[in-house]
Amino acid sequence: MTKDTIGLGCPQFKIAVYIANRPEIEPYSFLDSLISVSEGEITHIGTHCGNGWRKVFNVYAKLLYALDKYYFAEFQTAQTWQQYREQSLLQTNSKTALLFSPPQLGLDDDTLHIICGRTYANELQRSAKINSQWVWLNEEFAVDKKNQLIVCPYFDYRQLSNIKIEFLTQLILSLRHRESE
């Protein structure tokens, strides 16, 4: 993490999700740093910013909860993904972040980077805000193994369904297996 990292989450994040938009309420709409959320804050954002933000947080929590418990035990701290979302996601010591700033690749080889949406990923590449050599696996998913970066559909139930979350978890696991070799 650098001083240019803007978003919500733990400063020592190990999984960073990058999103093109941000909640349109203060203080989030004017953030210029990374801040951890407190318990209940995700619900507050969902209530005041609409169903789209509830979906982003729900999909993020479902993804982390679906990860292999052997390799990702730190994200299995609750009985359900809903409890995980409310009690841990984006909070201090969660090792998770939702970032509104472009990925800063190569700073920490242990961080997994996930860009929400092909359009956003291509815009980052086009505007030279990221330098990555990802390979498209299909119309919706791309991987840059060297930088531990995945491009996936936007965090929304229609775009990143449960079946696609499972596909994404397998991609993440394959990056982790590669890293441990």
Side-chain angles (χ1 to χ4, degrees):
M1 182 186 89
T2 69
K3 63 181 177 69
D4 299 327
T5 304
I6 301 169
L8 306 174
C10 174
Q12 297 81 29
F13 59 84
K14 293 299 174 192
I15 295 185
V17 172
Y18 301 88
I19 192 165
N21 53 342
R22 59 173 75 192
E24 289 298 322
I25 59 171
E26 289 191 31
Y28 318 108
S29 56
F30 298 105
L31 276 181
D32 61 0
S33 63
L34 178 67
I35 62 167
S36 297
V37 301
S38 57
E39 196 166 329
E41 201 166 346
I42 285 176
T43 300
H44 172 78
I45 293 169
T47 300
H48 290 88
C49 295
N51 198 38
W53 280 101
R54 274 191 293 279
K55 290 177 184 177
V56 167
F57 297 128
N58 287 350
V59 169
Y60 199 170
K62 287 174 92 171
L63 169 65
L64 295 175
Y65 200 74
L67 291 173
D68 185 289
K69 288 154 185 48
Y70 177 78
Y71 291 98
F72 300 97
E74 67 266 32
F75 303 117
Q76 310 304 322
T77 59
Q79 295 296 315
T80 65
W81 66 264
Q82 294 93 337
Q83 288 176 345
Y84 177 80
R85 179 196 59 217
E86 295 306 315
Q87 297 169 0
S88 298
L89 184 65
L90 307 175
Q91 295 182 27
T92 303
N93 300 321
S94 69
K95 297 186 180 168
T96 60
L98 181 65
L99 301 178
F100 314 132
S101 53
Q104 297 170 3
L105 304 176
L107 299 177
D108 180 357
D109 292 337
D110 194 33
T111 300
L112 175 68
H113 305 275
I114 301 171
I115 300 175
C116 289
R118 180 182 187 129
T119 302
Y120 182 47
N122 287 333
E123 174 56 32
L124 289 170
Q125 193 85 294
R126 215 175 5 265
S127 64
K129 292 181 179 173
I130 187 174
N131 183 15
S132 176
Q133 302 301 316
W134 53 66
V135 175
W136 287 100
L137 305 175
N138 57 37
E139 288 293 313
E140 300 173 302
F141 291 89
V143 176
D144 173 349
K145 291 179 182 178
K146 177 182 174 220
N147 289 303
Q148 296 215 60
L149 179 128
I150 298 173
V151 177
C152 73
Y154 189 80
F155 278 22
D156 177 281
Y157 301 139
R158 291 171 291 182
Q159 295 180 49
L160 194 62
S161 64
N162 288 339
I163 290 171
K164 292 177 185 176
I165 288 174
E166 182 57 35
F167 184 80
L168 180 55
T169 61
Q170 293 307 311
L171 286 178
I172 292 168
L173 189 57
S174 72
L175 287 178
R176 286 299 185 223
H177 276 299
R178 184 190 144 272
E179 177 184 282
S180 63
E181 292 174 352

